[in-house]
Amino acid sequence: MLLVLLLYAPWLGALQAQSVLYGTVLDMATKKVIVGAKVAVEGRPYATETDLNGRFSLTVPLQGDHILQIGYVGYETQRILLLLNTAEISLGPLYLVADLTLEKQDNLITLTDAELLEDGSTDNALGLLQATRDVFLTRAAFDFGQAFFRVRGYDSQNGTVLLNGIPMNKFFDGRPQWNNWGGLNDVIRNQEFHHGLEASPFIFGGVLGTTNMDLRPSGLRPGVRLSSSASNRTYTGRLMATYNSGVDGNGLAYMASASRRWARQGYMEGTLYDAHSFYGALEYQLDDTNSIMLTAMAATNRRGRSSAVTEEVHALVGRRYNPYWGEQNGNIRNSRERLISEPLVLLNYFHESKKGNLNVGLAYQTGVRSRSRVGYYNAPNPDPTFYRYLPSFHVNSGIGANFVSADGARQRFLRAPQWNWQQAYTANGSASANGRAAYVLYDDVVKDNQLTARIHGGYKMGKALQLHFGATHRQLRSRNFARVNDLLGAEFHTDIDPFSDTRNDVEGPLNRGEGDTFNYNYEFRSGQSTAFAQLQWEQRAWTAFVAAQYQGTSHLRQGLFKNERFPDNSLGKSPKITFHTVGAKGGLSRKITGRHWVAAHAAFMERPPLLQNVFINPRESNAQVPQLRPEALRSLDVNYYIRMPKLTGRLSAYHTLFQNTTDVNFFFVDSGVGSDFVQEVLTDLDRRHQGLELGLEYQLSAAVKLSAVAALGRHTFASDPKVTINFDTAAADEELIDVSGTKELGAANVRGLRLAQGPQTAVALGLEYRDPKYWWVGMTTNYLADNYANISAITRTASFLLDPETGQPFPDATPENVARLLAQRPLDTFYLLNLVGGKSWLKNGKYIGLFASVNNLFDTVFRTGGYEQSRNGNYGQLRQDTLGGSPSFAPKYWYGFGRTFFLNLAYSF
């Protein structure tokens, strides 16, 4: 039936009554015309832009009541109620008012920057939501985001980010790297966001949606903008300057922007912040329909990281505590810094006409990402929160609790809770060391070179049918290695694995100095080709779309070191592993009236395993995860929209099933089958996300707006994944778990347990007042609940019940006792109150804008996420560890920021 409608849509459209809308869009304050303002019918695909004279003409084949939306970057969106019942409607001059809340986007960036975590395990998609005007998504970003709420429980790899139509998501983890354009807020303001499974004219996309950042100077306000910010979150100060020439009479436009952000330490102790960002763009409009653009950007971000801690440590030193830093010569020095510097160059050709559009793009990105850490070799662990240094170690002793020693450990920890740099220098400089390093500060380095070529476009196949299409090819060469950063007073480092006494690089020199590569050295080589097509159809009260995608992906590893533990499988190229995946999605909407409509979307997608989950331990060998399969995804959502003159909102229900997911983890475990440092591989892992979303906004008066938002989700494991552990067998005298180097532990009983995806229940009530004299203030109260820590899979396998001494089940490991020990408990339920406000002035054609926000006004203490430690991998050891009430290997948690502020002053002319 849908196919028949699509074929006859152009003929049917000719029979439908239509109206032609005319008007001119101007700036309310300056009365100047606005070029490139978007004029669209809400809920329908009819849209146009104003020309060089600020004028527009829009043909709308509709009748009845509808709402016309006029918007432009930096201005409040205007909504006008229309009665379409005549052939031509002249709207006259339409005025846009400068958006007083523009600086909220800068505030959101500081929230996004808060992700200082070890592996992005609570990574969210705040940045993806910058472009949306949906009240639910706005609250999710600006208010729930500080608690690491995830929309529908999705990781940011499920959202696609594009710059000038070129995808930016990484091969390795599928996520966009926001730091690549961090600090360039003025440049990325022109964004188009498509939520969830909605049709996108740019790309097939993921279940979270797509954001395209249009970097063209012609689409942004011309002039100069200077701004300065102060905050106590991730950075304490920021300066930013931007100049946009606008399009001159020859069709030429150029734009430059630069920013600097810094902090000696952010909200978390010891988290330095040092970032520089630069951007330059040159656009040339060949004629009215064709233009070319060259863009270059370079954003360097260096920051100190923080750590999750146990409740024991939190009780001793508080939520701002960070064990990774210590003072050296009176200066803060963080042992775990992250550096990101990946310059990007883009070249685009744009064609836009009434019949369609075409974008051809080429992007080249190079640069480095590195993370530092201190390695210790036949020396004590330097981490001040190491379990042997804490009171719980003495309370949980196998020979009985020793409270005197526990109190001594508490006092020692409180006297010296930070990293002791002098201890490392002393150990390395001792006579017995003979110049050999016991402690080494080193960097885990990733050097990427990626080339992306893309073409996408759209074509109007009559009045009712549109075709969108695109093709992308990406090629990545990624070198991964460890580099000696600082020998900390030693003369050399001996590159030998301390656990197995084997060489990491058999063919290279044994001793390494500062700047040398050591430990591991390999390359990833990946390629991916993608093609998609999409048909959109509109007829009277119905709209529909169908889209399909094909993707071919290949990966291989090339080892550059010959590892003594894997002499036959570490040096040289691995076999190439290839995946062919497809996807299809569609949607249907029904217009009840011009103010009410319903829509449903459904999708089936396959996607290749993430590069980070293809190889078991790429630092040491070419071994691949066996029997890898593409991940399968099925999703459905149903939505009701209301667009009244005063009341707008959305109610949605969703259900998504992720199947055949693979996950690889690394840790030391005392399991029921033995103890070792293992690589844990989970396969056949399924996850189910289902829930409701509600967002309502009501214009109580011309100055007062109310909002109500709720998210009720249930995100759970939907299968019992298979667990396999892998380990090296190099040391002949160790008691091997298995001589083959791998051990299948069977299924982990996790079906029905909650996922660690941020709060799954979230409610917000907001009140906003906008004064006619250009000042505004807003308040939001938020309730968040049903947040869970990430579980340990190995403790939920049958091996957990085994006594490693006898190989038999523990006598008291009854189902009731095991269930009590492994019970999943939610994290904190809490309330947050946030305040925002601002004021703007227009003086002689120049804008001055002031924005301020205070988050978590009442300084609430709450945990944003965490994970169960897997060290105690057998029932007897975990039970013994929990008897004292303060386990040595208790779950570790991240704690949310307390009361924080953000202040921004901007000057535009």
Side-chain angles (χ1 to χ4, degrees):
M1 181 62 182
L2 179 59
L3 180 59
V4 174
L5 290 173
L6 291 174
L7 291 173
Y8 285 92
W11 177 77
L12 292 171
L15 302 179
Q16 187 173 338
Q18 63 184 28
S19 298
V20 181
L21 310 178
Y22 299 96
T24 305
V25 180
L26 303 99
D27 183 301
M28 173 67 83
T30 65
K31 303 302 185 289
K32 294 181 179 179
V33 299
I34 298 177
V35 180
K38 186 172 183 179
V39 182
V41 179
E42 281 194 356
R44 291 301 182 95
Y46 305 116
T48 188
E49 292 185 353
T50 55
D51 61 20
L52 293 175
N53 299 309
R55 298 170 185 164
F56 68 89
S57 172
L58 178 61
T59 301
V60 182
L62 300 171
Q63 290 185 315
D65 289 350
H66 293 275
I67 292 178
L68 188 69
Q69 188 181 91
I70 304 102
Y72 187 66
V73 178
Y75 290 86
E76 294 180 21
T77 298
Q78 299 285 36
R79 304 173 70 244
I80 301 172
L81 178 62
L82 295 176
L83 176 60
L84 302 178
N85 59 1
T86 59
E88 294 187 2
I89 300 176
S90 177
L91 299 173
L94 301 171
Y95 294 98
L96 294 184
V97 179
D99 189 357
L100 304 182
T101 66
L102 183 66
E103 311 309 328
K104 285 180 70 175
Q105 188 185 71
D106 296 345
N107 181 43
L108 177 59
I109 295 295
T110 69
L111 294 174
T112 308
D113 271 347
E115 296 170 12
L116 305 176
L117 310 183
E118 284 294 307
D119 57 1
S121 58
T122 64
D123 167 82
N124 54 45
L126 295 182
L128 192 72
L129 308 180
Q130 293 175 48
T132 182
R133 293 190 178 273
D134 179 285
V135 63
F136 174 84
L137 298 175
T138 299
R139 286 283 172 258
F142 290 96
D143 293 286
F144 302 157
Q146 60 189 303
F148 291 97
F149 173 83
R150 297 188 187 184
V151 174
R152 302 186 179 182
Y154 299 152
D155 184 279
S156 65
Q157 65 175 280
N158 293 289
T160 304
V161 174
L162 306 102
L163 297 183
N164 279 356
I166 301 175
M168 290 290 115
N169 296 57
K170 294 289 188 180
F171 266 107
F172 185 71
D173 58 11
R175 297 167 177 158
Q177 179 53 260
W178 293 97
N179 288 285
N180 289 160
W181 48 87
L184 298 173
N185 305 13
D186 292 342
V187 171
I188 62 173
R189 294 193 191 281
N190 191 9
Q191 302 181 14
E192 186 172 338
F193 175 69
H194 297 272
H195 175 48
L197 297 174
E198 291 176 348
S200 168
F202 305 106
I203 202 165
F204 186 81
V207 292
L208 184 58
T210 62
T211 291
N212 180 56
M213 302 181 190
D214 190 337
L215 306 177
R216 284 178 284 184
S218 59
L220 295 164
R221 289 179 65 177
V224 176
R225 186 172 188 273
L226 308 174
S227 66
S228 177
S229 304
S231 178
N232 66 337
R233 296 174 186 166
T234 54
Y235 58 76
T236 56
R238 187 197 68 182
L239 295 173
M240 183 163 60
T242 302
Y243 173 70
N244 184 358
S245 70
V247 182
D248 65 17
N250 297 319
L252 187 66
Y254 60 91
M255 187 172 180
S257 184
S259 77
R260 169 88 166 88
R261 293 168 291 164
W262 68 89
R264 184 171 181 265
Q265 61 180 355
Y267 185 85
M268 299 299 293
E269 296 175 350
T271 52
L272 68 93
Y273 197 104
D274 184 17
H276 304 77
S277 303
F278 304 95
Y279 167 90
L282 184 66
E283 179 184 6
Y284 180 57
Q285 296 184 349
L286 302 170
D287 52 38
D288 291 341
T289 60
N290 299 283
S291 62
I292 56 175
M293 181 180 177
L294 178 65
T295 309
M297 60 176 64
T300 298
N301 187 302
R302 172 175 165 254
R303 62 172 65 177
R305 292 188 287 154
S306 61
S307 172
V309 296
T310 63
E311 288 188 277
E312 176 188 18
V313 173
H314 175 262
L316 289 170
V317 285
R319 67 179 168 195
R320 299 183 66 173
Y321 172 72
N322 175 18
Y324 288 160
W325 71 275
E327 285 196 353
Q328 183 179 354
N329 299 324
N331 297 315
I332 291 175
R333 186 178 186 185
N334 195 309
S335 64
R336 300 209 178 189
E337 292 185 4
R338 183 175 73 176
L339 173 68
I340 298 175
S341 181
E342 296 181 305
L344 176 65
V345 177
L346 301 95
L347 179 63
N348 288 90
Y349 162 75
F350 300 95
H351 169 81
E352 295 181 354
S353 66
K354 291 184 178 180
K355 289 296 293 181
N357 62 84
L358 185 69
N359 180 350
V360 181
L362 192 66
Y364 177 71
Q365 186 171 27
T366 186
V368 64
R369 303 189 306 276
S370 69
R371 297 188 179 200
S372 67
R373 67 176 63 233
V374 172
Y376 55 99
Y377 306 89
N378 299 313
N381 190 325
D383 183 351
T385 61
F386 183 54
Y387 77 101
R388 289 180 175 271
Y389 306 153
L390 297 175
S392 58
F393 174 71
H394 303 280
V395 174
N396 301 320
S397 172
I399 60 174
N402 186 332
F403 294 102
V404 174
S405 296
D407 185 63
R410 183 184 66 84
Q411 294 182 36
R412 285 191 298 273
F413 179 76
L414 292 176
R415 282 196 303 268
Q418 300 306 144
W419 198 272
N420 190 333
W421 288 102
Q422 186 55 50
Q423 176 182 319
Y425 280 91
T426 301
N428 284 352
S430 68
S432 60
N434 293 320
R436 179 175 175 174
Y439 296 95
V440 172
L441 179 68
Y442 69 93
D443 298 323
D444 291 311
V445 183
V446 179
K447 284 189 174 182
D448 282 355
N449 288 281
Q450 181 169 304
L451 182 66
T452 304
R454 185 155 203 272
I455 181 171
H456 77 268
Y459 179 70
K460 293 183 179 179
M461 303 169 66
K463 295 180 179 179
L465 190 64
Q466 292 186 61
L467 169 68
H468 297 283
F469 58 89
T472 309
H473 180 73
R474 298 192 295 164
Q475 203 71 36
L476 170 71
R477 186 165 184 168
S478 175
R479 187 180 168 212
N480 298 254
F481 60 94
R483 177 179 59 204
V484 178
N485 181 311
D486 190 340
L487 287 172
L488 304 177
E491 296 178 12
F492 61 89
H493 167 65
T494 303
D495 192 17
I496 289 180
D497 177 65
F499 298 100
S500 60
D501 197 30
T502 56
R503 295 183 63 170
N504 297 312
D505 180 16
V506 174
E507 298 178 348
L510 180 62
N511 296 326
R512 309 292 167 102
E514 291 182 1
D516 288 346
T517 299
F518 81 113
N519 198 0
Y520 64 92
N521 189 10
Y522 64 93
E523 285 186 351
F524 283 135
R525 298 185 185 180
S526 300
Q528 186 176 78
S529 296
T530 306
F532 98 101
Q534 176 177 278
L535 282 174
Q536 284 183 270
W537 167 80
E538 164 106 10
Q539 185 61 45
R540 296 177 185 257
W542 293 91
T543 62
F545 80 92
V546 291
Q549 174 179 262
Y550 164 78
Q551 196 168 72
T553 307
S554 65
H555 303 297
L556 67 81
R557 173 193 183 271
Q558 180 172 7
L560 303 177
F561 278 180
K562 183 175 182 179
N563 190 300
E564 190 175 0
R565 296 179 295 285
F566 299 91
D568 301 322
N569 196 28
S570 53
L571 185 64
K573 293 182 179 180
S574 71
K576 181 183 289 188
I577 184 167
T578 303
F579 303 94
H580 298 280
T581 55
V582 296
K585 68 176 182 178
L588 185 68
S589 68
R590 171 71 164 89
K591 207 83 170 183
I592 302 171
T593 69
R595 305 179 186 181
H596 305 265
W597 71 90
V598 293
H601 308 100
F604 168 76
M605 306 178 191
E606 293 179 324
R607 57 187 184 187
L610 296 172
L611 178 55
Q612 66 180 358
N613 294 323
V614 169
F615 296 91
I616 294 173
N617 186 2
R619 293 186 175 185
E620 295 190 340
S621 79
N622 288 333
Q624 299 173 358
V625 173
Q627 300 178 341
L628 265 180
R629 293 185 294 167
E631 182 178 4
L633 185 158
R634 293 173 174 84
S635 187
L636 172 70
D637 67 48
V638 181
N639 310 272
Y640 164 69
Y641 299 89
I642 182 170
R643 291 293 187 270
M644 305 288 283
K646 290 190 174 182
L647 178 67
T648 62
R650 169 174 63 88
L651 174 64
S652 299
Y654 62 91
H655 183 280
T656 303
L657 182 64
F658 297 87
Q659 295 180 294
N660 305 331
T661 303
T662 300
D663 192 23
V664 180
N665 304 292
F666 303 82
F667 50 83
F668 186 89
V669 63
D670 293 319
S671 75
V673 295
S675 302
D676 208 334
F677 185 84
V678 301
Q679 297 88 49
E680 176 193 65
V681 178
L682 275 63
T683 54
D684 297 334
L685 173 62
D686 299 348
R687 307 187 311 275
R688 179 177 289 110
H689 299 240
Q690 54 191 11
L692 299 172
E693 296 173 340
L694 172 67
L696 295 173
E697 201 166 50
Y698 183 71
Q699 196 76 43
L700 189 63
S701 69
V704 179
K705 183 188 294 183
L706 304 176
S707 63
V709 162
L712 305 175
R714 184 173 179 83
H715 312 141
T716 60
F717 290 96
S719 69
D720 292 328
K722 298 176 183 177
V723 180
T724 304
I725 55 174
N726 300 268
F727 37 87
D728 75 73
T729 60
D733 59 343
E734 69 176 324
E735 297 179 6
L736 295 176
I737 295 176
D738 193 292
V739 293
S740 68
T742 185
K743 181 75 173 180
E744 294 185 2
L745 300 183
N749 297 313
V750 301
R751 188 193 303 264
L753 297 181
R754 295 292 189 103
L755 297 168
Q757 306 285 34
Q760 298 184 24
T761 298
V763 179
L765 298 174
L767 174 65
E768 183 178 297
Y769 173 78
R770 297 195 184 200
D771 193 89
K773 296 183 178 180
Y774 299 101
W775 65 269
W776 69 284
V777 64
M779 177 183 70
T780 309
T781 180
N782 307 275
Y783 167 80
L784 297 114
D786 296 323
N787 194 6
Y788 294 83
N790 201 14
I791 64 168
S792 165
I794 199 170
T795 60
R796 289 165 172 87
T797 64
S799 69
F800 177 72
L801 307 178
L802 301 179
D803 185 338
E805 300 294 329
T806 65
Q808 300 299 315
F810 288 95
D812 61 337
T814 63
E816 295 77 14
N817 288 341
V818 172
R820 264 195 305 271
L821 199 59
L822 298 179
Q824 189 181 33
R825 298 176 179 85
L827 305 183
D828 316 291
T829 295
F830 54 96
Y831 298 86
L832 298 175
L833 182 66
N834 301 325
L835 301 178
V836 294
K839 176 78 171 80
S840 70
W841 299 265
L842 178 63
K843 301 292 185 181
N844 300 320
K846 300 175 176 62
Y847 279 104
I848 300 174
L850 177 67
F851 173 85
S853 72
V854 179
N855 282 7
N856 192 4
L857 182 66
F858 296 127
D859 205 30
T860 301
V861 177
F862 59 96
R863 293 170 292 180
T864 62
Y867 59 92
E868 296 177 356
Q869 297 193 69
S870 296
R871 174 65 177 264
N872 291 324
N874 67 77
Y875 171 82
Q877 196 159 312
L878 183 58
R879 179 197 56 192
Q880 175 65 34
D881 195 31
T882 58
L883 290 177
S886 180
S888 296
F889 295 99
K892 288 190 172 184
Y893 301 106
W894 285 278
Y895 288 80
F897 290 177
R899 185 186 303 109
T900 59
F901 72 90
F902 177 78
L903 183 67
N904 190 83
L905 180 65
Y907 179 56
S908 307
F909 59 92

